Amino acid sequence: MRRALFALLLLSSCATSGYDRLPKVDQNDVHRIEAYLNGIQGLQAAFIQHGPDAGESGGRFSYIPGHLRLDYVVPHPMELVAGDGHLVLDDQGTGAVTHLSLRHNPLGLLLKHPIRFDGDIQVTDVRHGNGSLQISVAQADNPSQGLLTLQFSDVNGQLSLIGLQGVDARQHHFGVLLSDVKQGVVIVPSVFTPPAG
């Protein structure tokens, strides 16, 4: 028992936060992503989502720093609003309204405002591709609570969010692929008011 407790304390003390341990080029890219996400005036796109049951859904994606809204059209009308530490899903097909905390949800890592990938967030991976960039982030003190990967196009130094991949504490995977991305869109704040219920 003592050995197990000592091992747990040792592991928790080894948790690292932020991105200081990353190579300088990766640190620079993390700074660029922070500035991009905090500077978005409004972003809208079409989305396709792949869920843990291998099902596919889609609709309209809206984002401003700290807030996210998904208006599902396929397979049936649903409305997801997330921000201020909470996520609310209104399934208009069944009438069910689900409330979740973002505290232990990977989406919560995207919806902090302002976004800073240090302190209580750990950057676990940075990857560069041909015209693309992605980072993976987790809670520094408890990475088992979930991992979020943010995917961007990166053309001539200009970033654009094009996808999210996540895995939660129960190892449920989800992926959101964006298309027809429009940035600088004026979005009325009331759009991010959670549905009643």
Side-chain angles (χ1 to χ4, degrees):
M1 175 75 171
R2 278 187 192 168
R3 235 180 239 175
L5 182 59
F6 178 73
L8 182 62
L9 289 171
L10 186 62
L11 282 173
S12 64
S13 68
C14 291
T16 58
S17 65
Y19 41 85
D20 288 344
R21 63 184 172 69
L22 297 175
K24 192 67 177 169
V25 65
D26 290 346
Q27 290 186 38
N28 290 340
D29 283 327
V30 172
H31 285 302
R32 289 175 57 217
I33 289 170
E34 287 176 332
Y36 166 77
L37 290 172
N38 287 319
I40 289 176
Q41 299 300 311
L43 183 149
Q44 290 189 322
F47 78 89
I48 295 174
Q49 178 178 334
H50 300 278
D53 58 358
E56 188 175 289
S57 52
R60 174 60 73 194
F61 177 102
S62 302
Y63 172 82
I64 60 172
H67 296 275
L68 173 68
R69 178 182 175 122
L70 302 179
D71 289 294
Y72 293 84
V73 177
V74 178
H76 59 268
M78 291 186 291
E79 178 182 308
L80 180 152
V81 177
D84 299 321
H86 302 283
L87 180 153
V88 180
L89 175 65
D90 181 4
D91 187 329
Q92 295 157 12
T94 65
V97 178
T98 305
H99 296 259
L100 296 173
S101 169
L102 288 173
R103 185 181 173 113
H104 301 298
N105 185 298
L107 276 179
L109 298 167
L110 172 65
L111 297 177
K112 293 177 179 287
H113 182 62
I115 288 179
R116 287 191 53 82
F117 295 126
D118 62 7
D120 59 349
I121 296 179
Q122 175 186 0
V123 177
T124 63
D125 191 33
V126 179
R127 296 197 181 185
H128 306 86
N130 186 13
S132 67
L133 174 63
Q134 73 175 38
I135 65 167
S136 297
V137 294
Q139 290 183 24
D141 62 348
N142 197 354
S144 65
Q145 287 297 318
L147 181 74
L148 181 68
T149 298
L150 304 171
Q151 301 166 321
F152 304 87
S153 68
D154 186 8
V155 180
N156 297 324
Q158 298 295 313
L159 294 173
S160 180
L161 183 66
I162 57 170
L164 309 170
Q165 300 283 330
V167 56
D168 67 17
R170 291 179 290 178
Q171 299 303 301
H172 293 155
H173 293 257
F174 70 87
V176 175
L177 180 63
L178 305 182
S179 62
D180 192 24
V181 177
K182 294 180 173 62
Q183 301 185 91
V185 178
V186 176
I187 303 176
V188 179
S190 60
V191 163
F192 300 102
T193 301

XYZ file of all heavy atoms in Angstrom, residues 12 15 19 26 29 31-32 41-42 45 51 57 59 63 82 90 98 107 109 112 120 138 142 147 149 154 161 172 186:
218
model
N 2.715 12.069 -9.850
C 2.076 13.377 -9.879
C 3.113 14.492 -9.801
O 2.941 15.551 -10.380
C 1.056 13.511 -8.750
O 1.700 13.442 -7.512
N 4.543 15.446 -13.241
C 3.691 16.064 -14.264
C 4.296 17.409 -14.658
O 4.721 18.194 -13.812
C 2.284 16.257 -13.723
N 4.929 24.286 -22.126
C 5.638 23.802 -23.301
C 7.106 24.199 -23.283
O 7.784 24.174 -24.314
C 4.960 24.320 -24.577
C 4.505 25.765 -24.511
C 5.377 26.804 -24.806
C 3.204 26.074 -24.160
C 4.967 28.118 -24.751
C 2.778 27.393 -24.097
C 3.657 28.412 -24.400
O 3.247 29.719 -24.323
N 8.943 24.583 -31.930
C 7.605 24.161 -31.503
C 6.998 25.171 -30.536
O 5.796 25.451 -30.581
C 7.665 22.778 -30.852
C 7.959 21.669 -31.858
O 7.852 21.919 -33.075
O 8.286 20.551 -31.423
N 5.505 27.892 -32.487
C 4.233 27.507 -33.093
C 3.103 27.500 -32.067
O 1.970 27.873 -32.377
C 4.347 26.142 -33.783
C 5.050 26.236 -35.123
O 4.907 27.274 -35.805
O 5.752 25.280 -35.501
N 2.920 29.499 -29.488
C 2.602 30.925 -29.317
C 1.723 31.417 -30.459
O 0.770 32.179 -30.247
C 3.877 31.767 -29.265
C 4.626 31.665 -27.972
N 4.079 31.980 -26.749
C 5.888 31.255 -27.717
C 4.966 31.793 -25.794
N 6.079 31.347 -26.352
N 2.026 30.999 -31.680
C 1.214 31.406 -32.841
C -0.219 30.905 -32.696
O -1.171 31.633 -32.999
C 1.814 30.834 -34.136
C 3.121 31.466 -34.567
C 3.689 30.736 -35.778
N 2.742 30.741 -36.873
C 2.542 29.721 -37.722
N 3.240 28.606 -37.594
N 1.672 29.814 -38.690
N -12.256 36.688 -34.169
C -13.444 37.500 -33.906
C -14.701 36.640 -33.972
O -15.666 36.855 -33.276
C -13.527 38.643 -34.920
C -12.358 39.586 -34.859
C -12.239 40.249 -33.496
O -13.215 40.765 -32.967
N -11.044 40.223 -32.915
N -14.689 35.678 -34.854
C -15.804 34.755 -35.017
C -15.463 33.807 -36.145
O -14.949 34.225 -37.181
N -18.206 27.384 -39.795
C -17.821 26.378 -40.782
C -18.889 25.292 -40.821
O -19.713 25.169 -39.910
C -16.469 25.763 -40.407
N -18.177 10.018 -34.069
C -18.290 9.784 -32.640
C -17.765 8.433 -32.230
O -17.290 7.649 -33.059
N -22.206 12.525 -37.966
C -23.195 13.585 -37.886
C -22.585 14.840 -38.479
O -21.385 14.903 -38.743
C -23.643 13.802 -36.433
O -22.520 13.983 -35.596
N -23.296 19.410 -39.469
C -24.094 20.619 -39.381
C -23.224 21.849 -39.462
O -22.258 21.897 -40.223
N -17.729 29.421 -33.468
C -16.755 29.552 -32.388
C -16.321 30.996 -32.218
O -16.070 31.710 -33.194
C -15.523 28.690 -32.697
C -14.360 28.893 -31.738
C -14.335 28.235 -30.515
C -13.310 29.744 -32.058
C -13.279 28.423 -29.623
C -12.254 29.944 -31.178
C -12.246 29.276 -29.958
O -11.212 29.480 -29.081
N -21.428 25.219 -25.686
C -20.419 25.002 -24.647
C -19.695 26.306 -24.345
O -19.366 27.071 -25.253
C -19.428 23.928 -25.091
N -29.012 19.803 -26.557
C -30.468 19.714 -26.702
C -30.761 18.850 -27.921
O -30.547 19.270 -29.058
C -31.049 21.117 -26.872
C -32.569 21.122 -27.013
O -33.197 20.043 -26.895
O -33.131 22.206 -27.250
N -29.103 17.411 -22.160
C -28.009 16.872 -21.359
C -27.079 18.000 -20.922
O -26.685 18.833 -21.749
C -27.203 15.833 -22.173
O -28.099 14.832 -22.653
C -26.116 15.197 -21.338
N -12.956 19.183 -24.489
C -13.356 20.461 -25.086
C -13.080 21.636 -24.152
O -12.873 22.762 -24.607
C -14.835 20.445 -25.457
C -15.196 19.835 -26.804
C -16.703 19.876 -27.011
C -14.480 20.532 -27.950
N -10.477 22.302 -22.666
C -9.130 22.815 -22.923
C -9.140 23.879 -24.016
O -8.286 24.762 -24.035
C -8.201 21.666 -23.313
C -8.019 20.580 -22.241
C -7.336 19.348 -22.837
C -7.234 21.118 -21.060
N -11.167 27.614 -22.598
C -10.651 28.565 -21.607
C -10.446 29.898 -22.325
O -10.144 29.921 -23.511
C -9.327 28.061 -21.033
C -9.474 26.798 -20.194
C -8.112 26.320 -19.721
C -8.232 25.075 -18.865
N -8.774 25.340 -17.541
N -1.897 25.145 -16.105
C -2.615 23.895 -15.858
C -2.831 23.065 -17.117
O -3.501 22.045 -17.083
C -3.954 24.170 -15.170
C -4.869 25.082 -15.976
O -4.391 25.671 -16.976
O -6.053 25.205 -15.621
N -3.369 18.438 -22.849
C -4.044 17.705 -21.786
C -3.925 18.513 -20.504
O -3.138 19.466 -20.418
C -3.404 16.318 -21.595
N -3.529 16.089 -14.461
C -4.283 14.849 -14.595
C -4.525 14.540 -16.077
O -5.659 14.616 -16.554
C -5.621 14.962 -13.843
C -6.246 13.610 -13.583
O -5.756 12.586 -14.050
N -7.347 13.613 -12.861
N -7.506 14.054 -23.797
C -6.527 14.651 -24.698
C -7.277 15.332 -25.838
O -8.241 14.778 -26.372
C -5.616 13.562 -25.270
C -4.509 14.012 -26.215
C -3.393 14.705 -25.430
C -3.937 12.817 -26.971
N -6.629 17.286 -29.576
C -5.712 17.649 -30.655
C -6.398 18.673 -31.539
O -7.514 18.451 -32.024
C -5.316 16.411 -31.483
O -4.625 15.483 -30.633
C -4.393 16.789 -32.638
N -1.844 25.657 -42.310
C -0.789 26.631 -42.047
C -0.137 26.971 -43.377
O 0.818 26.327 -43.809
C 0.229 26.038 -41.064
C 1.281 27.036 -40.626
O 1.152 28.236 -40.958
O 2.244 26.618 -39.946
N -8.236 27.060 -38.243
C -8.684 25.839 -37.566
C -9.455 24.967 -38.554
O -10.386 25.438 -39.207
C -9.588 26.211 -36.385
C -10.100 25.051 -35.526
C -8.952 24.373 -34.785
C -11.144 25.560 -34.527
N -13.349 7.384 -24.916
C -14.260 7.624 -26.041
C -13.612 8.639 -26.978
O -13.211 9.719 -26.540
C -15.606 8.164 -25.553
C -16.387 7.165 -24.764
N -17.327 7.534 -23.827
C -16.371 5.809 -24.750
C -17.867 6.454 -23.280
N -17.285 5.398 -23.822
N -19.110 38.071 -37.776
C -19.756 38.666 -36.601
C -20.838 37.709 -36.116
O -21.772 37.385 -36.845
C -20.376 40.038 -36.942
C -21.124 40.591 -35.734
C -19.302 41.007 -37.403
